[in-house]
Coordinates of all heavy atoms in Angstrom, one line a residue:
M1 N 15.0 -7.4 -12.8 CA 15.0 -8.0 -11.5 C 14.0 -7.2 -10.6 O 13.9 -6.0 -10.6 CB 16.3 -7.9 -10.9 CG 16.6 -8.6 -9.6 SD 18.3 -8.7 -9.3 CE 18.3 -8.1 -7.6
R2 N 13.2 -8.0 -9.8 CA 12.3 -7.5 -8.8 C 12.9 -7.4 -7.5 O 13.6 -8.1 -7.0 CB 11.1 -8.4 -8.8 CG 10.4 -8.4 -10.1 CD 9.1 -9.3 -9.9 NE 8.5 -9.3 -11.2 CZ 7.4 -9.9 -11.5 NH1 6.5 -10.2 -10.6 NH2 7.0 -9.9 -12.8
A3 N 12.5 -6.2 -6.8 CA 13.0 -6.0 -5.5 C 12.0 -6.7 -4.5 O 10.9 -6.9 -4.8 CB 12.8 -4.5 -5.1
A4 N 12.6 -7.2 -3.4 CA 11.8 -7.7 -2.3 C 10.9 -6.6 -1.8 O 11.3 -5.5 -1.6 CB 12.7 -8.4 -1.3
V5 N 9.7 -7.1 -1.3 CA 8.8 -6.2 -0.7 C 8.3 -6.7 0.6 O 8.0 -7.8 0.7 CB 7.5 -5.9 -1.7 CG1 6.5 -5.1 -1.0 CG2 8.0 -5.4 -3.1
D6 N 8.3 -5.9 1.5 CA 7.9 -6.1 2.9 C 7.0 -5.1 3.5 O 7.0 -4.0 3.1 CB 9.2 -6.1 3.9 CG 8.9 -6.5 5.3 OD1 8.2 -7.5 5.5 OD2 9.3 -5.8 6.2
L7 N 6.0 -5.6 4.2 CA 4.9 -4.5 4.7 C 5.4 -4.4 6.3 O 5.6 -5.2 7.0 CB 3.6 -5.3 4.8 CG 2.8 -4.9 3.7 CD1 3.2 -5.6 2.4 CD2 1.3 -5.2 3.9
H8 N 5.5 -3.0 6.5 CA 5.6 -2.5 7.9 C 4.5 -3.3 8.7 O 3.3 -3.5 8.2 CB 5.5 -1.1 7.9 CG 5.7 -0.5 9.3 ND1 4.8 -0.5 10.3 CD2 6.8 0.2 9.7 CE1 5.4 0.1 11.3 NE2 6.6 0.6 11.0
D9 N 4.8 -3.6 10.0 CA 3.7 -4.2 10.8 C 2.4 -3.5 10.8 O 1.2 -4.1 10.7 CB 4.2 -4.4 12.2 CG 5.3 -5.4 12.4 OD1 5.4 -6.2 11.3 OD2 5.8 -5.5 13.3
E10 N 2.4 -2.1 10.9 CA 1.2 -1.4 10.9 C 0.5 -1.2 9.6 O -0.7 -1.2 9.6 CB 1.5 0.1 11.5 CG 1.8 0.1 13.1 CD 2.2 1.4 13.5 OE1 1.3 2.3 13.7 OE2 3.4 1.7 13.8
A11 N 1.3 -1.4 8.5 CA 0.7 -1.3 7.1 C -0.1 -2.6 7.0 O -1.1 -2.8 6.4 CB 1.8 -1.1 6.1
S12 N 0.5 -3.8 7.3 CA -0.2 -5.0 7.5 C -1.5 -5.1 8.2 O -2.4 -5.6 7.7 CB 0.9 -6.1 8.0 OG 0.3 -7.5 7.9
A13 N -1.3 -4.4 9.3 CA -2.7 -4.4 10.2 C -3.7 -3.5 9.3 O -4.8 -3.7 9.4 CB -2.4 -3.7 11.4
E14 N -3.3 -2.5 8.7 CA -4.3 -1.6 7.9 C -4.8 -2.5 6.7 O -5.9 -2.3 6.5 CB -3.5 -0.4 7.3 CG -3.2 0.6 8.3 CD -2.3 1.7 7.9 OE1 -1.5 1.6 6.8 OE2 -2.2 2.7 8.7
Y15 N -3.9 -3.2 6.0 CA -4.3 -4.1 5.0 C -5.5 -5.2 5.5 O -6.5 -5.3 5.0 CB -3.2 -4.9 4.3 CG -3.8 -6.1 3.4 CD1 -4.2 -5.7 2.2 CD2 -3.9 -7.2 4.1 CE1 -4.8 -6.8 1.4 CE2 -4.5 -8.3 3.3 CZ -4.9 -8.0 2.0 OH -5.4 -9.0 1.2
D16 N -5.1 -5.8 6.6 CA -6.0 -6.7 7.2 C -7.4 -6.1 7.6 O -8.5 -6.6 7.3 CB -5.4 -7.4 8.6 CG -4.2 -8.4 8.2 OD1 -4.1 -8.7 7.0 OD2 -3.5 -8.5 9.1
A17 N -7.3 -4.8 8.3 CA -8.6 -4.2 8.6 C -9.4 -3.9 7.4 O -10.6 -4.0 7.4 CB -8.2 -2.9 9.4
A18 N -8.7 -3.5 6.2 CA -9.5 -3.1 5.0 C -10.0 -4.3 4.4 O -11.1 -4.3 4.0 CB -8.6 -2.4 4.0
F19 N -9.3 -5.3 4.3 CA -9.7 -6.7 3.8 C -11.0 -7.2 4.6 O -11.9 -7.6 4.1 CB -8.6 -7.8 3.8 CG -9.1 -9.1 3.2 CD1 -8.9 -9.2 1.9 CD2 -9.6 -10.0 4.0 CE1 -9.3 -10.5 1.3 CE2 -10.0 -11.2 3.5 CZ -9.8 -11.4 2.0
D20 N -10.9 -7.1 5.8 CA -12.0 -7.6 6.8 C -13.2 -6.8 6.6 O -14.3 -7.2 6.6 CB -11.6 -7.5 8.1 CG -10.5 -8.6 8.5 OD1 -10.3 -9.5 7.7 OD2 -10.0 -8.6 9.7
W21 N -12.9 -5.5 6.4 CA -14.2 -4.5 6.1 C -14.9 -4.8 4.8 O -16.1 -4.9 4.8 CB -13.7 -3.1 6.0 CG -14.8 -2.0 6.1 CD1 -15.4 -1.5 7.2 CD2 -15.4 -1.4 4.8 NE1 -16.3 -0.5 6.7 CE2 -16.4 -0.5 5.3 CE3 -15.3 -1.7 3.4 CZ2 -17.2 0.1 4.4 CZ3 -16.1 -1.0 2.6 CH2 -16.9 -0.1 3.1
Y22 N -14.1 -5.0 3.8 CA -14.6 -5.5 2.6 C -15.3 -6.9 2.6 O -16.4 -7.1 2.1 CB -13.7 -5.5 1.3 CG -13.4 -4.1 0.9 CD1 -12.1 -3.5 1.1 CD2 -14.4 -3.2 0.3 CE1 -11.8 -2.2 0.7 CE2 -14.1 -2.0 -0.1 CZ -12.9 -1.6 0.1 OH -12.5 -0.1 -0.3
L23 N -14.7 -7.8 3.3 CA -15.2 -9.1 3.5 C -16.5 -9.1 4.2 O -17.3 -9.9 3.8 CB -14.2 -10.0 4.2 CG -14.5 -11.5 4.4 CD1 -14.7 -12.1 2.9 CD2 -13.5 -12.2 5.2
E24 N -16.8 -8.3 5.3 CA -18.0 -8.2 5.8 C -19.2 -7.8 4.9 O -20.3 -8.0 5.2 CB -18.0 -7.2 7.0 CG -17.2 -7.7 8.3 CD -17.0 -6.5 9.2 OE1 -17.7 -5.5 9.1 OE2 -16.3 -6.8 10.2
R25 N -18.7 -7.1 3.9 CA -19.7 -6.6 2.8 C -19.9 -7.5 1.7 O -21.0 -7.7 1.2 CB -19.4 -5.2 2.5 CG -19.8 -4.2 3.5 CD -18.8 -3.0 3.6 NE -19.0 -2.2 4.9 CZ -18.8 -2.5 6.1 NH1 -17.9 -3.6 6.3 NH2 -19.0 -1.7 7.1
S26 N -18.8 -8.2 1.2 CA -18.9 -9.0 0.1 C -17.5 -9.7 -0.1 O -16.5 -9.0 -0.1 CB -19.0 -8.1 -1.2 OG -18.7 -8.7 -2.4
A27 N -17.6 -10.9 -0.2 CA -16.3 -11.8 -0.5 C -15.8 -11.5 -1.8 O -14.6 -11.5 -1.8 CB -16.7 -13.3 -0.5
D28 N -16.5 -11.1 -2.7 CA -16.0 -10.7 -4.0 C -15.2 -9.3 -3.9 O -14.1 -9.2 -4.5 CB -17.0 -10.5 -5.1 CG -17.5 -11.9 -5.7 OD1 -17.0 -12.9 -5.4 OD2 -18.7 -11.8 -6.1
A29 N -15.8 -8.5 -3.2 CA -15.1 -7.2 -3.0 C -13.8 -7.4 -2.2 O -12.7 -6.8 -2.5 CB -15.9 -6.2 -2.2
A30 N -13.6 -8.3 -1.3 CA -12.5 -8.5 -0.5 C -11.5 -9.3 -1.4 O -10.3 -8.8 -1.3 CB -12.8 -9.4 0.7
L31 N -11.8 -10.2 -2.2 CA -11.0 -10.9 -3.2 C -10.4 -9.7 -4.1 O -9.3 -9.8 -4.6 CB -11.6 -12.0 -3.7 CG -11.9 -13.2 -3.0 CD1 -12.7 -14.2 -3.5 CD2 -10.6 -13.7 -2.2
N32 N -11.3 -8.9 -4.6 CA -10.9 -7.9 -5.5 C -9.8 -7.0 -5.0 O -8.9 -6.6 -5.6 CB -12.1 -7.0 -6.3 CG -12.8 -8.1 -7.1 OD1 -12.3 -9.0 -7.6 ND2 -14.1 -7.7 -7.3
F33 N -10.1 -6.6 -3.7 CA -9.2 -5.7 -3.1 C -7.8 -6.4 -2.8 O -6.8 -5.9 -3.2 CB -9.8 -5.4 -1.5 CG -8.8 -4.5 -0.7 CD1 -8.6 -3.1 -1.1 CD2 -8.2 -5.1 0.4 CE1 -7.7 -2.4 -0.2 CE2 -7.3 -4.4 1.1 CZ -7.0 -3.0 0.8
D34 N -7.8 -7.6 -2.5 CA -6.5 -8.4 -2.3 C -5.8 -8.4 -3.6 O -4.6 -8.2 -3.6 CB -6.9 -9.7 -1.8 CG -5.7 -10.7 -1.6 OD1 -4.8 -10.3 -0.8 OD2 -5.7 -11.5 -2.4
A35 N -6.6 -8.7 -4.7 CA -5.9 -8.8 -6.0 C -5.3 -7.6 -6.4 O -4.2 -7.5 -7.0 CB -6.9 -9.3 -7.1
E36 N -6.0 -6.4 -6.1 CA -5.5 -5.1 -6.5 C -4.2 -4.7 -5.8 O -3.2 -4.2 -6.3 CB -6.5 -4.0 -6.4 CG -6.0 -2.7 -7.0 CD -6.9 -1.8 -7.6 OE1 -8.2 -2.2 -7.7 OE2 -6.6 -0.7 -8.0
V37 N -4.2 -5.0 -4.4 CA -3.0 -4.8 -3.7 C -1.8 -5.6 -4.1 O -0.8 -5.2 -4.3 CB -3.3 -5.0 -2.1 CG1 -2.1 -5.0 -1.4 CG2 -4.4 -4.0 -1.6
E38 N -2.2 -7.0 -4.4 CA -1.2 -7.9 -4.9 C -0.6 -7.3 -6.3 O 0.6 -7.3 -6.4 CB -1.7 -9.3 -5.1 CG -0.7 -10.3 -5.2 CD 0.3 -10.4 -4.0 OE1 -0.2 -10.4 -3.0 OE2 1.4 -10.8 -4.3
H39 N -1.3 -6.8 -7.1 CA -1.0 -6.2 -8.4 C -0.1 -5.1 -8.2 O 1.0 -4.9 -8.8 CB -2.3 -5.9 -9.3 CG -1.8 -5.1 -10.5 ND1 -1.3 -5.7 -11.7 CD2 -1.8 -3.7 -10.8 CE1 -1.1 -5.0 -12.6 NE2 -1.5 -3.7 -12.1
A40 N -0.6 -4.2 -7.2 CA 0.3 -3.0 -7.0 C 1.6 -3.3 -6.4 O 2.6 -2.8 -6.9 CB -0.5 -2.2 -5.9
I41 N 1.7 -4.3 -5.6 CA 3.0 -4.7 -4.9 C 3.8 -5.3 -6.1 O 5.1 -5.1 -6.2 CB 2.8 -5.6 -3.8 CG1 2.3 -5.0 -2.6 CG2 4.1 -6.4 -3.4 CD1 1.7 -5.8 -1.5
N42 N 3.2 -6.1 -6.9 CA 4.1 -6.6 -8.1 C 4.7 -5.4 -9.0 O 5.8 -5.5 -9.4 CB 3.2 -7.5 -8.9 CG 3.9 -8.3 -9.9 OD1 4.9 -8.8 -9.8 ND2 3.2 -8.4 -11.1
E43 N 3.8 -4.5 -9.3 CA 4.3 -3.4 -10.1 C 5.3 -2.6 -9.4 O 6.3 -2.1 -10.0 CB 3.1 -2.5 -10.4 CG 2.0 -3.2 -11.4 CD 2.7 -3.4 -12.7 OE1 3.1 -2.5 -13.4 OE2 2.7 -4.7 -13.1
I44 N 5.2 -2.3 -8.2 CA 6.3 -1.6 -7.3 C 7.5 -2.2 -7.3 O 8.5 -1.7 -7.5 CB 5.7 -1.3 -6.0 CG1 4.5 -0.3 -6.0 CG2 6.8 -0.7 -5.1 CD1 3.7 -0.1 -4.6
S45 N 7.5 -3.6 -7.1 CA 8.6 -4.4 -7.1 C 9.4 -4.3 -8.5 O 10.7 -4.5 -8.4 CB 8.4 -5.9 -6.7 OG 7.8 -6.5 -7.7
K46 N 8.7 -4.2 -9.6 CA 9.4 -4.2 -10.9 C 10.0 -2.8 -11.1 O 10.9 -2.8 -11.8 CB 8.4 -4.6 -12.0 CG 8.0 -6.0 -12.0 CD 7.3 -6.4 -13.2 CE 5.8 -5.7 -13.1 NZ 4.9 -6.3 -14.3
A47 N 9.4 -1.8 -10.7 CA 9.8 -0.5 -11.0 C 9.5 0.5 -10.0 O 8.7 1.5 -10.1 CB 9.2 0.0 -12.4
P48 N 10.2 0.4 -8.8 CA 9.9 1.2 -7.6 C 10.0 2.7 -7.9 O 9.2 3.5 -7.1 CB 10.9 0.8 -6.5 CG 11.8 -0.1 -7.2 CD 11.4 -0.4 -8.6
K49 N 10.8 3.2 -8.8 CA 10.9 4.7 -8.9 C 9.7 5.3 -9.9 O 9.8 6.4 -10.1 CB 12.3 5.0 -9.5 CG 13.4 4.7 -8.4 CD 14.7 5.3 -8.9 CE 15.9 4.9 -8.0 NZ 15.6 4.4 -6.7
R50 N 8.9 4.4 -10.4 CA 7.9 4.8 -11.3 C 6.8 5.6 -10.6 O 6.3 6.6 -11.6 CB 7.4 3.6 -12.1 CG 6.3 3.8 -13.0 CD 6.0 2.6 -13.7 NE 4.8 2.8 -14.5 CZ 4.0 1.8 -15.0 NH1 4.4 0.5 -14.8 NH2 3.0 2.1 -15.8
W51 N 6.5 5.6 -9.6 CA 5.4 6.4 -9.0 C 5.8 7.7 -8.3 O 7.0 7.8 -7.9 CB 4.6 5.4 -8.1 CG 3.9 4.5 -9.0 CD1 2.6 4.7 -9.5 CD2 4.2 3.2 -9.4 NE1 2.2 3.6 -10.4 CE2 3.3 2.7 -10.4 CE3 5.5 2.5 -9.4 CZ2 3.3 1.7 -11.0 CZ3 5.5 1.3 -10.1 CH2 4.5 0.9 -10.9
A52 N 4.9 8.5 -8.1 CA 5.1 9.8 -7.5 C 6.0 9.8 -6.2 O 5.6 9.1 -5.3 CB 3.8 10.5 -7.3
A53 N 6.9 10.6 -6.2 CA 7.7 10.9 -5.0 C 7.0 11.6 -3.9 O 6.1 12.6 -4.4 CB 9.1 11.4 -5.4
G54 N 7.0 11.3 -2.7 CA 6.5 12.0 -1.7 C 7.3 12.4 -0.6 O 8.6 12.4 -0.8
P55 N 6.8 13.0 0.6 CA 7.7 13.4 1.6 C 8.6 12.2 2.3 O 8.2 11.1 2.2 CB 6.8 14.0 2.7 CG 5.4 13.3 2.3 CD 5.4 12.9 0.9
Y56 N 9.7 12.6 2.8 CA 10.5 11.7 3.4 C 11.0 10.5 2.7 O 11.2 9.3 3.2 CB 9.8 11.1 4.8 CG 9.1 12.2 5.6 CD1 7.7 12.6 5.5 CD2 9.9 12.9 6.5 CE1 7.3 13.5 6.2 CE2 9.4 14.0 7.2 CZ 8.1 14.3 7.0 OH 7.5 15.3 7.8
S57 N 11.3 10.8 1.4 CA 11.9 9.7 0.5 C 10.9 8.6 0.3 O 11.3 7.4 0.1 CB 13.1 9.3 1.0 OG 14.1 10.2 1.1
T58 N 9.6 8.9 0.4 CA 8.6 7.8 0.1 C 8.1 8.1 -1.3 O 8.2 9.0 -2.0 CB 7.5 7.9 1.2 OG1 6.7 9.2 1.1 CG2 7.9 7.7 2.5
R59 N 7.3 7.1 -1.7 CA 6.6 7.2 -3.0 C 5.2 6.6 -2.7 O 4.9 6.1 -1.8 CB 7.2 6.4 -4.0 CG 8.5 7.0 -4.5 CD 9.2 6.3 -5.6 NE 10.5 7.0 -6.1 CZ 10.6 7.9 -6.9 NH1 9.5 8.3 -7.5 NH2 11.8 8.4 -7.1
R60 N 4.2 6.9 -3.6 CA 2.9 6.4 -3.4 C 2.3 5.7 -4.6 O 2.6 6.3 -5.8 CB 2.1 7.5 -2.8 CG 2.0 8.6 -3.7 CD 1.3 9.8 -3.0 NE 1.3 11.1 -3.9 CZ 0.5 11.5 -4.7 NH1 -0.5 10.8 -4.9 NH2 0.8 12.5 -5.5
Y61 N 1.6 4.7 -4.4 CA 0.9 4.0 -5.6 C -0.6 4.1 -5.2 O -1.1 3.5 -4.2 CB 1.4 2.6 -5.5 CG 0.7 1.8 -6.8 CD1 1.4 1.4 -7.9 CD2 -0.6 1.3 -6.7 CE1 0.9 0.7 -8.9 CE2 -1.1 0.5 -7.6 CZ -0.4 0.3 -8.8 OH -0.9 -0.5 -9.8
L62 N -1.3 4.8 -6.1 CA -2.8 4.9 -5.9 C -3.5 3.7 -6.5 O -3.3 3.4 -7.7 CB -3.3 6.1 -6.4 CG -4.8 6.5 -6.3 CD1 -5.2 6.7 -4.8 CD2 -5.1 7.8 -7.0
L63 N -4.2 3.0 -5.7 CA -5.1 1.8 -6.3 C -6.1 2.5 -7.2 O -6.7 3.5 -6.9 CB -5.8 1.0 -5.0 CG -4.7 0.4 -4.2 CD1 -5.5 -0.5 -3.1 CD2 -3.6 -0.5 -4.9
R64 N -6.4 1.7 -8.3 CA -7.4 2.3 -9.3 C -8.8 2.1 -8.8 O -9.8 2.8 -9.1 CB -7.1 1.4 -10.6 CG -5.8 1.9 -11.2 CD -5.6 1.2 -12.4 NE -5.1 -0.2 -12.0 CZ -5.0 -1.2 -13.0 NH1 -5.3 -1.0 -14.2 NH2 -4.8 -2.4 -12.4
K65 N -9.1 0.9 -8.2 CA -10.5 0.6 -7.9 C -11.0 0.7 -6.4 O -12.2 0.4 -6.1 CB -10.9 -1.0 -8.3 CG -10.6 -1.1 -9.8 CD -10.7 -2.6 -10.2 CE -10.4 -2.9 -11.6 NZ -10.4 -4.2 -11.9
F66 N -10.0 1.0 -5.6 CA -10.3 1.2 -4.1 C -9.6 2.4 -3.7 O -8.7 2.9 -4.1 CB -9.8 0.0 -3.4 CG -10.5 -1.3 -3.7 CD1 -9.9 -2.1 -4.8 CD2 -11.6 -1.7 -2.9 CE1 -10.6 -3.3 -5.3 CE2 -12.3 -2.9 -3.4 CZ -11.8 -3.7 -4.5
P67 N -10.2 3.1 -2.6 CA -9.8 4.4 -2.3 C -8.5 4.2 -1.3 O -8.6 4.8 0.0 CB -11.1 5.0 -1.5 CG -11.7 3.8 -1.0 CD -11.5 2.7 -2.0
F68 N -7.5 3.7 -1.6 CA -6.3 3.3 -0.8 C -5.1 3.7 -1.5 O -5.1 3.6 -2.9 CB -6.2 1.8 -0.4 CG -7.2 1.6 0.7 CD1 -8.5 1.1 0.4 CD2 -6.9 1.7 2.0 CE1 -9.5 0.9 1.4 CE2 -7.7 1.3 3.1 CZ -9.0 1.0 2.8
T69 N -4.1 4.1 -0.9 CA -2.8 4.3 -1.5 C -1.7 3.6 -0.8 O -1.8 3.5 0.5 CB -2.4 5.9 -1.3 OG1 -3.4 6.6 -2.0 CG2 -1.0 6.1 -1.9
L70 N -0.8 3.0 -1.5 CA 0.3 2.3 -0.9 C 1.4 3.3 -0.7 O 1.9 3.7 -1.7 CB 0.8 1.0 -1.6 CG -0.3 0.0 -1.8 CD1 0.4 -1.3 -2.5 CD2 -0.9 -0.5 -0.6
I71 N 1.8 3.6 0.5 CA 3.0 4.5 0.7 C 4.2 3.5 1.0 O 4.2 2.7 1.8 CB 2.8 5.3 1.9 CG1 1.5 6.1 1.9 CG2 4.0 6.2 2.1 CD1 1.3 7.2 0.9
Y72 N 5.3 3.7 0.2 CA 6.4 2.9 0.3 C 7.6 3.8 0.1 O 7.8 4.7 -0.4 CB 6.3 1.8 -0.8 CG 6.5 2.3 -2.1 CD1 7.7 2.2 -2.8 CD2 5.4 2.6 -2.9 CE1 7.8 2.6 -4.1 CE2 5.5 3.0 -4.2 CZ 6.8 3.0 -4.9 OH 7.0 3.5 -6.2
R73 N 8.8 2.9 0.5 CA 10.2 3.5 0.4 C 11.2 2.4 0.2 O 10.9 1.2 0.3 CB 10.6 4.2 1.7 CG 10.6 3.3 2.8 CD 11.1 4.0 4.2 NE 11.2 3.1 5.3 CZ 11.6 3.4 6.4 NH1 12.2 4.6 6.6 NH2 11.7 2.5 7.4
E74 N 12.2 2.9 -0.6 CA 13.3 1.9 -0.9 C 14.2 2.0 0.2 O 14.5 3.1 0.7 CB 14.0 2.3 -2.3 CG 13.3 2.0 -3.4 CD 14.0 2.4 -4.7 OE1 14.7 1.4 -5.2 OE2 13.9 3.5 -5.2
L75 N 14.6 0.8 0.8 CA 15.6 0.7 1.8 C 16.9 0.6 1.3 O 17.2 0.3 0.1 CB 15.3 -0.6 2.7 CG 13.9 -0.6 3.3 CD1 13.6 -1.8 4.0 CD2 13.8 0.6 4.4
P76 N 18.1 1.0 2.1 CA 19.4 0.9 1.6 C 19.8 -0.5 1.0 O 20.6 -0.5 0.1 CB 20.2 1.2 2.7 CG 19.3 2.0 3.6 CD 17.9 1.5 3.4
S77 N 19.2 -1.5 1.4 CA 19.4 -2.9 1.0 C 18.9 -3.1 -0.4 O 19.2 -4.0 -1.0 CB 18.8 -3.9 1.8 OG 17.4 -3.7 1.8
G78 N 18.0 -2.2 -1.0 CA 17.3 -2.3 -2.2 C 16.0 -2.9 -2.1 O 15.1 -2.9 -3.1
A79 N 15.7 -3.4 -1.0 CA 14.3 -4.0 -0.7 C 13.2 -2.8 -0.6 O 13.7 -1.6 -0.4 CB 14.2 -4.7 0.5
I80 N 12.0 -3.0 -0.7 CA 10.9 -2.1 -0.8 C 10.2 -2.3 0.6 O 9.8 -3.4 0.9 CB 9.9 -2.2 -1.9 CG1 10.7 -2.1 -3.2 CG2 8.8 -1.3 -1.8 CD1 11.4 -0.8 -3.5
Q81 N 9.8 -1.4 1.3 CA 9.0 -1.4 2.4 C 7.7 -0.6 2.3 O 7.8 0.5 2.1 CB 9.7 -0.8 3.7 CG 8.8 -1.0 4.9 CD 9.5 -0.4 6.1 OE1 9.8 0.7 6.1 NE2 9.4 -1.1 7.3
I82 N 6.6 -1.4 2.3 CA 5.4 -0.6 2.4 C 5.0 -0.1 3.7 O 4.9 -0.8 4.7 CB 4.2 -1.7 1.9 CG1 4.4 -2.3 0.7 CG2 2.9 -0.9 2.0 CD1 4.5 -1.5 -0.6
V83 N 5.1 1.3 3.9 CA 4.9 1.9 5.1 C 3.6 2.0 5.6 O 3.2 1.9 6.8 CB 5.6 3.2 5.0 CG1 5.5 4.0 6.3 CG2 7.1 3.1 4.6
A84 N 2.6 2.2 4.6 CA 1.2 2.3 5.0 C 0.2 1.9 3.8 O 0.7 2.0 2.6 CB 0.9 3.8 5.2
V85 N -0.8 1.3 4.3 CA -2.0 1.1 3.2 C -2.9 2.0 3.7 O -3.8 1.8 4.5 CB -2.4 -0.4 3.4 CG1 -3.6 -0.7 2.5 CG2 -1.4 -1.4 3.1
A86 N -2.9 3.2 3.2 CA -3.6 4.4 3.7 C -4.9 4.7 2.9 O -4.9 4.8 1.6 CB -2.7 5.6 3.5
H87 N -6.0 4.8 3.6 CA -7.2 5.2 3.1 C -7.1 6.6 2.6 O -6.5 7.5 3.3 CB -8.5 5.1 4.0 CG -9.7 5.2 3.4 ND1 -10.3 6.3 2.9 CD2 -10.7 4.2 3.0 CE1 -11.5 6.1 2.4 NE2 -11.8 5.0 2.5
T88 N -7.6 6.9 1.3 CA -7.3 8.3 0.7 C -8.1 9.4 1.6 O -7.8 10.6 1.4 CB -7.7 8.3 -0.7 OG1 -9.1 7.9 -0.8 CG2 -7.0 7.4 -1.6
S89 N -9.2 9.0 2.4 CA -9.7 10.0 3.2 C -9.2 10.2 4.6 O -9.6 11.1 5.4 CB -11.2 9.6 3.3 OG -11.8 9.7 2.1
R90 N -8.1 9.4 4.9 CA -7.6 9.5 6.2 C -6.6 10.6 6.3 O -6.0 11.1 5.4 CB -6.8 8.2 6.5 CG -6.3 8.0 7.9 CD -6.0 6.7 8.3 NE -5.6 6.5 9.6 CZ -5.2 5.4 10.2 NH1 -5.2 4.2 9.5 NH2 -5.0 5.4 11.5
K91 N -6.3 11.2 7.4 CA -5.4 12.3 7.6 C -4.0 12.1 6.9 O -3.3 11.1 7.3 CB -5.1 12.5 9.3 CG -4.3 13.5 9.6 CD -4.1 13.8 10.9 CE -3.2 14.9 11.2 NZ -2.8 14.9 12.7
P92 N -3.6 12.9 6.1 CA -2.4 12.7 5.3 C -1.1 12.8 6.2 O -1.1 13.5 7.3 CB -2.3 13.9 4.4 CG -3.7 14.6 4.4 CD -4.4 14.2 5.6
G93 N -0.2 12.0 6.0 CA 1.0 11.8 6.8 C 0.9 11.2 8.1 O 1.9 11.2 8.9
Y94 N -0.2 10.5 8.5 CA -0.4 10.0 9.8 C 0.7 8.9 10.0 O 1.0 8.6 11.2 CB -1.7 9.4 9.9 CG -1.9 8.1 9.1 CD1 -1.7 6.8 9.7 CD2 -2.4 8.1 7.8 CE1 -1.9 5.7 8.9 CE2 -2.7 7.0 7.1 CZ -2.3 5.8 7.7 OH -2.4 4.8 6.9
W95 N 1.2 8.4 8.9 CA 2.2 7.3 9.1 C 3.7 7.7 9.2 O 4.5 6.7 9.4 CB 2.0 6.4 7.7 CG 2.0 7.4 6.5 CD1 0.9 7.8 5.8 CD2 3.2 8.0 5.9 NE1 1.3 8.7 4.9 CE2 2.6 8.8 4.8 CE3 4.5 7.9 6.1 CZ2 3.4 9.5 4.0 CZ3 5.3 8.5 5.2 CH2 4.8 9.4 4.2
K96 N 4.0 9.0 9.3 CA 5.4 9.3 9.3 C 6.1 8.9 10.4 O 7.4 8.6 10.2 CB 5.4 10.9 9.4 CG 4.7 11.7 8.2 CD 4.8 13.1 8.4 CE 4.0 13.8 7.3 NZ 3.8 15.2 7.6
H97 N 5.5 8.6 11.5 CA 6.2 8.0 12.6 C 6.9 6.6 12.4 O 7.7 6.2 13.2 CB 5.3 8.0 14.0 CG 4.4 6.9 13.9 ND1 3.1 7.0 13.2 CD2 4.3 5.6 14.5 CE1 2.4 5.9 13.4 NE2 3.1 5.1 14.1
R98 N 6.3 5.9 11.5 CA 6.8 4.7 11.0 C 8.2 4.6 10.3 O 8.8 3.6 10.2 CB 5.8 4.0 10.2 CG 4.5 3.8 10.8 CD 3.4 3.2 9.8 NE 2.1 3.2 10.4 CZ 1.0 3.0 9.7 NH1 1.1 2.4 8.6 NH2 -0.1 3.0 10.4
L99 N 8.7 5.8 9.9 CA 9.9 5.9 9.2 C 11.0 6.0 10.2 O 12.1 5.7 10.1 CB 9.9 7.2 8.3 CG 8.9 7.3 7.3 CD1 8.8 8.6 6.6 CD2 9.1 6.0 6.3

């Protein structure tokens, strides 16, 4: 059974900004970024405890082809919340206030 996955509003904005950045450079790159994020969300929903545990009861899924990490947590309801679509060069933990 797959868990429902929801993006925090700020994570959604980060995804949109990254998608737009890639789209300005290449439609193919933007579509590949979207596909990789979609694949990550699908994998997380199938086995949320599979990826590395992080601070504040979060976990992280590192994208393979793009320099981004999906920071997520399991909610008491069993749903998954993507807290951040974080660029790997961005300040670590900047998203903590979202919890």
Side-chain angles (χ1 to χ4, degrees):
M1 189 168 124
R2 294 181 186 195
V5 178
D6 182 47
L7 266 71
H8 185 283
D9 288 345
E10 290 179 71
S12 183
E14 290 168 343
Y15 166 82
D16 290 344
F19 181 87
D20 290 346
W21 188 88
Y22 285 113
L23 186 58
E24 288 175 8
R25 283 142 187 86
S26 163
D28 287 341
L31 292 174
N32 288 336
F33 176 72
D34 179 64
E36 185 149 356
V37 170
E38 195 64 35
H39 174 76
I41 290 171
N42 185 42
E43 291 296 304
I44 290 167
S45 74
K46 290 192 291 189
K49 293 185 180 355
R50 182 174 171 192
W51 284 273
Y56 309 100
S57 300
T58 61
R59 293 185 178 270
R60 57 191 174 93
Y61 182 106
L62 181 63
L63 299 184
R64 291 176 288 171
K65 299 175 185 174
F66 294 89
F68 285 88
T69 300
L70 301 186
I71 309 292
Y72 67 95
R73 65 180 175 169
E74 287 184 86
L75 299 174
S77 66
I80 304 297
Q81 182 184 45
I82 306 293
V83 178
V85 179
H87 192 285
T88 56
S89 296
R90 193 165 181 178
K91 182 180 175 184
Y94 72 90
W95 45 264
K96 294 175 194 172
H97 73 278
R98 299 176 188 176
L99 302 172

